[in-house]
Amino acid sequence: MSIIHFHLISLSVIVPLFNERESLPELVGQLYAALGENEMRTLFPAPFGFEIILVDDGSTDDSCALIGSMIAERPELRLISFQRNFGKTAALSAGFMAATGDYVCTIDADLQDDPFAIKEMIKKVQEGYDLVSGWKQQRKDPLSKTIPSKLFNTVTRLFTGITIHDFNCGLKVYRKEVTRRLELHGDMHRYIPVLAKWMGFRIAELPVSHRARKFGTTKYGSSRFFSGLFDFLSVLFITRYLRRPMHFFGMAGLISFFSGFIISLYITLDKILLNKPVSNRPILFLGILLLILGVQLFSTGLLGEMLSTSSSRGSSFAVRETLNLTAGQAKKFGAAD
Ligand code: UDP
Ligand code: MG
């Protein structure tokens, strides 16, 4: 393999992309310009080396072929290409898995994020944070995106007590320890700061400039509302109850079972003491329902406990091809370079 692979990698840039062909040449050009800046290099004690891991999330335009041709001149580029569209979260976790740098940066492929902000974000990390998240303070998107996003951020802030403004900014810089630990599922990339904070990492936010989309269209329609809601619930569940599902299901189960028990006892006593008939009493059904529900909730909690103690979770994507990965990286993806 080429000698470049033996250089130490200080920074891994991860770019999730889904049908962003038109943006790619400009994006790569801007990234090389931003990462080539002298000021950028002074941030690292050792000689600065970087890699750009492009994760093609099942694009159906010829993004993949285009990247293949770019790699010929740019040895720092790497490609991981998915079998089909698995979503941005899966693309990011594949990137995290491959990243070899001490610092990891994620950036959207659509040119909406400014690569020249990376330098400032690394500086901020070096001030003593584990994750610095961009804040699209002046967001250049249509109202149909900015309004739901305000709502999303407010609700997440309220529920999690994390005081950042923009949870779902594509531009983030991490220490590698954070990306190693993150386990992402569903569409959870929106909640990365919540998960990181929950694991005890220090989080900061930095305003970054944002641009309107130049090519292509947004990949997120209105379906995002529902998947966002469900992922929000699972993040709440994960951060509070993942390691102790019994506290969630067990409590609900107990309450239900106990209420059902009281109701049934009441009907039984009525029958024994006052000889009231048991049939013809609608509340009987409620009692039975609550008893059964209680047992079910309780057993769900037990199953959850068993799963959470014995689970080793697999990855949530399938890789079609890879290009220019190091031997170590290729091994993880079960593919020879
Ligand atoms: N993306 C992806 N897989 C998807 C959807 C999006 O890799 O299924 C990428 C997309 O190519 C872009 C980034 O995620 O680089 C952000 O997507 P988009 O710009 O559509 O989101 P928006 O900025 O509109 O929230
Ligand atoms: Mg975008």
Side-chain angles (χ1 to χ4, degrees):
M1 285 270 61
S2 58
I3 191 90
I4 192 81
H5 285 152
F6 296 107
H7 285 195
L8 283 179
I9 303 288
S10 325
L11 176 71
S12 299
V13 179
I14 297 167
V15 187
L17 62 110
F18 178 45
N19 295 340
E20 307 281 6
R21 200 185 65 91
E22 298 102 318
S23 309
L24 286 177
E26 218 171 307
L27 174 81
V28 168
Q30 287 182 13
L31 276 172
Y32 270 78
L35 301 178
E37 279 193 321
N38 286 331
E39 203 188 334
M40 176 88 194
R41 295 169 177 275
T42 58
L43 296 177
F44 297 90
F48 175 70
F50 67 90
E51 62 181 354
I52 299 175
I53 303 173
L54 299 152
V55 187
D56 159 42
D57 185 12
S59 297
T60 49
D61 59 3
D62 49 0
S63 292
C64 224
L66 181 67
I67 294 167
S69 68
M70 288 196 286
I71 283 182
E73 288 137 47
R74 312 256 203 198
E76 293 84 2
L77 292 184
R78 323 218 179 293
L79 170 68
I80 296 170
S81 183
F82 285 176
Q83 287 283 8
R84 62 163 173 86
N85 179 243
F86 282 93
K88 188 177 177 184
T89 298
L92 289 176
S93 24
F96 290 160
M97 207 168 137
T100 50
D102 297 328
Y103 293 77
V104 177
C105 164
T106 59
I107 186 166
D108 284 355
D110 57 5
L111 300 168
Q112 291 197 267
D113 302 326
D114 176 11
F116 286 92
I118 295 175
K119 175 179 67 191
E120 299 304 323
M121 297 175 81
I122 292 177
K123 275 188 202 155
K124 186 90 186 169
V125 170
Q126 292 179 340
E127 283 170 21
Y129 295 97
D130 299 303
L131 164 58
V132 171
S133 189
W135 172 15
K136 305 179 289 274
Q137 205 168 13
Q138 300 198 331
R139 196 169 172 180
K140 304 286 187 338
D141 271 322
L143 281 181
S144 62
K145 281 202 93 78
T146 50
I147 291 175
S149 146
K150 280 239 162 66
L151 184 76
F152 158 82
N153 282 310
T154 311
V155 171
T156 311
R157 206 164 38 232
L158 277 178
F159 271 88
T160 60
I162 299 172
T163 53
I164 69 178
H165 301 83
D166 189 357
F167 285 84
N168 186 22
C169 183
L171 189 54
K172 290 187 168 63
V173 173
Y174 309 76
R175 277 186 207 282
K176 68 167 184 279
E177 289 75 16
V178 184
T179 55
R180 300 256 160 91
R181 302 279 332 260
L182 281 175
E183 286 181 24
L184 302 175
H185 304 272
D187 269 343
M188 280 182 200
H189 63 271
R190 299 194 181 91
Y191 300 99
I192 286 178
V194 182
L195 296 169
K197 176 92 186 190
W198 172 67
M199 289 190 284
F201 291 113
R202 283 154 301 173
I203 295 174
E205 191 175 49
L206 201 71
V208 293
S209 66
H210 191 242
R211 313 154 175 169
R213 205 180 231 284
K214 195 162 160 192
F215 304 105
T217 50
T218 174
K219 306 299 180 293
Y220 292 103
S222 47
S223 66
R224 157 173 70 108
F225 286 110
F226 287 102
S227 70
L229 175 68
F230 294 131
D231 286 315
F232 180 66
L233 293 178
S234 39
V235 165
L236 271 191
F237 189 81
I238 285 175
T239 54
R240 299 199 179 170
Y241 299 110
L242 182 69
R243 300 279 166 235
R244 38 179 202 136
M246 205 51 187
H247 290 232
F248 181 82
F249 290 107
M251 185 47 82
L254 272 187
I255 292 172
S256 173
F257 189 87
F258 190 68
S259 324
F261 183 76
I262 296 285
I263 291 172
S264 308
L265 188 70
Y266 164 67
I267 297 173
T268 312
L269 288 180
D270 263 4
K271 167 75 184 162
I272 296 173
L273 303 178
L274 307 173
N275 203 20
K276 282 193 189 168
V278 171
S279 59
N280 203 13
R281 303 199 65 177
I283 202 172
L284 174 68
F285 293 101
L286 183 64
I288 296 172
L289 183 76
L290 288 173
L291 279 174
I292 297 178
L293 198 69
V295 173
Q296 288 199 330
L297 283 169
F298 206 83
S299 9
T300 308
L302 268 182
L303 284 176
E305 286 289 330
M306 288 160 73
L307 281 177
S308 83
T309 46
S310 69
S311 75
S312 65
R313 290 195 244 140
S315 50
S316 49
F317 52 81
V319 172
R320 186 195 301 272
E321 65 161 322
T322 62
L323 282 176
N324 204 34
L325 295 190
T326 63
Q329 287 171 334
K331 217 164 134 192
K332 285 190 192 159
F333 291 92
D337 192 356

